[in-house]
């Protein structure tokens, strides 16, 4: 069963990759493909049939009577088997006259997208031609009817997102639960938030979730985000890190200092000890045994959600980190706060609405001046630029320090807002001078403060 599940995951990734590659090529470069025959060939594979159904393929999208009949027979056969099996080639040929079934050459994602595109083009052409007959005599009524017709086409051909048909989707939901149970058995349902103690409370960052990591300047949000990335590759996962402020070489140095636990300050100045240099080189050699991390710094003009998601879909990361919101771009006609709100909404939509591509995402953001000076009393309302962060994010995590805590390298991590889990407060320690390291100290109770704050009070 575990091998079957792994095969299904790899098959789905392969299909999506093939479809993405094909859509990037010019259509004139593609060979002539009989899409309806390709679809019929895929109907004898249960996984492919379930995939095409989940993407919204229906009998109406077929032009020919024989392929339409084959689709209706296959989907009925699949439903009658409680979504466990697809018909064999022989069963299809015995029940649909003159149908010819060859081995498929295209992915189900590509076939469905192209069939729906052609179907939409046919309906739209018909609607526009009909509108041309009456546009001069009654333009207002014609425009209204054309608008209704085009809207109807859009509804018929859009992907099935954010909806569940409890009968048709039963097998898909079972598979999702089994995958979730397997991850829970391993101890985590999502990507790590850097420490086991925090993961135990949150169950990590799940696919499609947006976690906002907020702090004032120089508190340590970039360093903590690197701790999340470090944990990801140590678990043999992949991390895509968009650095919009620092250059990629600096981020690589910071990350390898954290990975090898050598002093970043001495690494940056070229003054590592012999022992530290060996630890750094050993960590670099060991990176090939870990997961993959990529630092990318898009240029100004390319920092839109659309462009960054396009890059992410090519990389296919297990987790994505963006540092930081204030450097992302949206409609230039908006104010900075309006741009930030637009970016947050676009980003959450992009990472969560496509059931075939959902990625856990950490977005770094700054507190406003009041939040930066609030110490442990920081609130989600202190988020800079936009209140949309608090409303849209699945959780808001804050890093803060009092003056005394800064002197002792202590950092308070607070979960200020969360949809799935309880709020919490944790004490961390960050070192940069003798060695670059993040350490978990303890989970704090609601009224608990560190000893320095207690003695002060």
């Amino acid at each position: 069963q575990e091998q079957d599940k792994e095969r299904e995951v790899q098959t789905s990734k392969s299909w999506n990759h093939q479809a993405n590659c094909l859509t990037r090529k010019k259509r004139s470069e593609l060979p002539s493909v009989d899409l309806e025959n390709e679809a019929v060939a895929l109907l004898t594979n249960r996984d492919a049939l379930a995939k095409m159904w989940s993407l919204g393929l229906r009998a109406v999208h077929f032009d020919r009577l024989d392929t339409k009949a084959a689709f209706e027979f296959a989907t009925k056969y699949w439903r009658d088997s409680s979504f466990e099996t697809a018909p064999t080639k022989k069963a299809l040929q015995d029940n649909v006259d003159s149908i010819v079934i060859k081995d498929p050459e295209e992915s189900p994602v590509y076939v469905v997208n192209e069939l729906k595109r052609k179907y939409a083009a046919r309906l739209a052409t018909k609607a526009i031609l009909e509108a041309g007959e009456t546009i001069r005599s009654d333009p207002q009524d014609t425009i209204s009817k054309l608008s209704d017709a085009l809207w109807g086409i859009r509804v018929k051909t859009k992907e099935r997102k954010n909806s569940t048909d409890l009968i048709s989707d039963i097998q898909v939901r079972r598979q999702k639960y089994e995958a979730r149970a397997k991850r829970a058995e391993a101890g985590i349902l999502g990507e790590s938030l850097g420490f086991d103690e925090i993961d135990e409370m949150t169950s990590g960052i799940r696919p499609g979730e947006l976690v906002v990591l907020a702090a004032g300047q120089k508190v340590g949000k970039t360093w903590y985000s690197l701790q999340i990335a470090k944990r990801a590759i140590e678990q043999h996962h992949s991390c895509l890190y968009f650095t919009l402020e620092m250059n990629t070489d600096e981020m690589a140095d910071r990350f390898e200092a954290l990975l090898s636990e050598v002093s970043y300050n001495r690494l940056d100045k070229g003054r590592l000890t012999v022992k530290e240099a060996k630890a750094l080189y050993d960590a670099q050699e060991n990176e090939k045994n870990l997961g993959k991390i990529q630092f990318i710094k898009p240029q100004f003009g390319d920092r839109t959600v659309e462009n960054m998601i396009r890059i992410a879909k090519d990389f296919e990361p297990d987790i994505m980190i963006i540092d930081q919101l204030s450097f992302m771009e949206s409609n230039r006609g908006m104010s900075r706060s309006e741009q930030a709100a637009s970016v947050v909404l676009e980003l959450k939509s992009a990472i969560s609405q496509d059931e075939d591509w959902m990625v856990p995402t950490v977005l770094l953001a700054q507190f406003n001046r009041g939040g930066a000076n609030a110490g442990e009393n920081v609130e989600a309302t202190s988020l800079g630029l936009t209140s949309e962060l608090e409303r849209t994010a699945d959780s808001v995590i804050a890093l803060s320090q009092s003056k005394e805590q800064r002197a002792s390298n202590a950092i308070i991590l607070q979960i200020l807002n969360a949809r799935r889990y309880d709020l919490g407060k944790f004490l961390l320690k960050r070192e940069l001078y003798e060695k670059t390291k993040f350490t978990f100290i303890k989970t704090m109770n609601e009224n608990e403060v560190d000893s320095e704050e207690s003695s002060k009070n």
Side-chain angles (χ1 to χ4, degrees):
Q1 288 178 347
E2 289 181 359
Q3 289 176 346
D4 287 345
K5 291 172 190 173
E6 179 63 24
R7 177 179 55 79
E8 289 170 4
V9 170
Q10 295 302 323
T11 300
S12 181
K13 285 186 175 181
S14 174
W15 286 339
N16 291 329
H17 178 69
Q18 290 175 40
N20 289 336
C21 290
L22 285 166
T23 53
R24 283 195 295 269
K25 297 175 72 174
K26 294 180 181 178
R27 297 197 180 278
S28 60
E29 297 174 356
L30 294 173
S32 177
V33 175
D34 187 330
L35 292 168
E36 298 199 13
N37 278 351
E38 283 291 314
V40 170
L42 291 163
L43 294 176
T44 59
N45 180 304
R46 189 204 68 176
D47 295 337
L49 175 54
K51 182 68 174 178
M52 291 193 294
W53 183 269
S54 72
L55 289 171
L57 185 66
R58 300 294 183 264
V60 71
H61 298 129
F62 290 84
D63 239 357
R64 291 168 17 209
L65 293 178
D66 59 340
T67 53
K68 190 189 296 282
F71 180 81
E72 290 175 337
F73 173 80
T75 52
K76 183 178 185 303
Y77 186 102
W78 177 55
R79 289 195 298 270
D80 290 345
S81 72
S82 298
F83 309 97
E84 292 291 342
T85 58
T88 63
K89 288 183 180 181
K90 185 177 186 306
L92 260 182
Q93 290 170 336
D94 287 347
N95 284 273
V96 181
D97 292 339
S98 73
I99 197 74
V100 177
I101 304 174
K102 299 180 178 179
D103 291 334
E105 297 180 1
E106 306 293 345
S107 76
V109 179
Y110 173 73
V111 169
V112 171
N113 287 342
E114 287 300 292
L115 280 175
K116 289 165 70 175
R117 183 183 66 82
K118 293 180 69 175
Y119 173 71
R122 288 198 304 272
L123 293 186
T125 300
K126 180 182 177 183
I128 292 169
L129 289 174
E130 289 176 352
E133 297 174 0
T134 57
I135 189 68
R136 291 185 180 277
S137 59
D138 193 348
Q140 294 299 329
D141 184 60
T142 300
I143 291 170
S144 177
K145 289 180 179 178
L146 179 60
S147 176
D148 290 344
L150 294 177
W151 174 255
I153 295 168
R154 182 177 180 274
V155 170
K156 290 177 182 177
T157 56
K158 70 178 181 180
E159 290 185 23
R160 296 174 63 250
K161 298 174 182 176
N162 300 323
S163 64
T164 298
D165 175 345
L166 293 184
I167 301 301
S168 302
D169 293 344
I170 188 169
Q171 185 62 31
V172 174
R173 295 201 320 281
R174 285 175 180 172
Q175 290 172 354
K176 286 181 178 179
Y177 172 74
E178 290 167 3
R180 186 188 310 159
K182 188 175 180 180
R183 293 197 302 270
E185 187 178 350
I188 187 169
L189 286 171
E191 292 297 318
S192 175
L193 274 167
F195 296 99
D196 290 337
E197 294 83 353
I198 301 175
D199 293 336
E200 185 176 348
M201 172 180 284
T202 64
S203 75
I205 318 170
R206 298 184 188 181
E209 287 189 337
L210 176 63
V211 172
V212 172
L213 177 61
Q217 290 186 345
K218 300 186 183 303
V219 171
K221 60 182 179 296
T222 298
W223 281 110
Y224 183 73
S225 70
L226 290 175
Q227 173 70 19
I228 295 174
K230 173 176 177 283
R231 191 64 176 268
I233 72 163
E234 286 175 341
Q235 294 175 342
H236 303 285
H237 297 169
S238 59
C239 175
L240 178 60
Y241 197 115
F242 286 104
T243 170
L244 307 184
E245 183 177 11
M246 303 177 200
N247 63 52
T248 54
D249 286 342
E250 181 179 354
M251 292 301 296
D253 283 349
R254 286 172 176 249
F255 184 71
E256 289 187 332
L258 190 63
L259 203 60
S260 59
E261 294 189 11
V262 304
S263 166
Y264 172 70
N265 287 278
R266 287 197 288 273
L267 186 154
D268 183 52
K269 295 172 183 175
R271 296 179 179 176
L272 291 179
T273 65
V274 173
K275 185 176 180 181
E276 285 177 323
K278 183 180 185 305
L280 175 65
Y281 295 164
D282 288 346
Q284 290 171 332
E285 286 295 321
N286 189 50
E287 285 177 22
K288 62 178 176 290
N289 301 317
L290 304 175
K292 183 178 180 181
I293 184 168
Q294 178 112 16
F295 294 101
I296 294 179
K297 185 174 184 179
Q299 299 301 309
F300 285 105
D302 294 329
R303 296 179 172 188
T304 62
V305 170
E306 181 182 7
N307 184 61
M308 293 165 75
I309 292 298
R310 188 182 301 117
I311 295 170
K313 286 188 174 181
D314 285 338
F315 186 77
E316 295 186 344
D318 292 306
I319 184 170
M320 179 167 64
I321 302 174
I322 303 174
D323 184 9
Q324 60 176 318
L325 172 63
S326 58
F327 293 99
M328 295 183 72
E329 299 168 337
S330 187
N331 190 324
R332 295 188 178 183
M334 300 177 177
S335 66
R336 286 191 67 201
S337 61
E338 289 173 333
Q339 284 193 49
S342 175
V343 163
V344 172
L345 289 168
E346 286 180 47
L347 181 61
K348 174 59 181 174
S349 174
I351 65 171
S352 64
Q353 287 198 358
D354 185 347
E355 62 184 20
D356 296 314
W357 194 87
M358 295 197 296
V359 60
T361 300
V362 179
L363 175 63
L364 278 58
Q366 283 195 357
F367 280 123
N368 57 29
R369 186 173 298 177
N373 297 326
E376 288 186 50
N377 299 317
V378 69
E379 298 178 353
T381 53
S382 302
L383 287 166
L385 290 180
T386 179
S387 59
E388 197 63 57
L389 280 169
E390 184 184 0
R391 290 192 293 268
T392 305
D394 293 282
S395 64
V396 177
I397 296 175
L399 300 179
S400 60
Q401 291 177 318
S402 65
K403 290 182 180 179
E404 290 79 5
Q405 288 165 347
R406 185 183 294 271
S408 61
N409 296 326
I411 294 178
I412 300 294
L413 183 148
Q414 297 180 72
I415 300 172
L416 301 179
N417 186 23
R419 301 191 196 281
R420 284 192 293 102
Y421 40 85
D422 296 332
L423 307 187
K425 183 184 290 188
F426 309 89
L427 182 64
L428 310 176
K429 188 178 181 66
R430 181 193 68 182
E431 301 174 59
L432 290 179
Y433 291 92
E434 293 306 314
K435 58 173 59 177
T436 299
K437 187 177 182 181
F438 253 94
T439 309
F440 183 90
I441 304 299
K442 62 180 178 179
T443 301
M444 302 177 70
N445 298 323
E446 284 187 13
N447 300 319
E448 184 179 5
V449 294
D450 71 336
S451 58
E452 293 164 324
E453 285 293 312
S454 298
S455 62
K456 176 184 174 184
N457 292 335

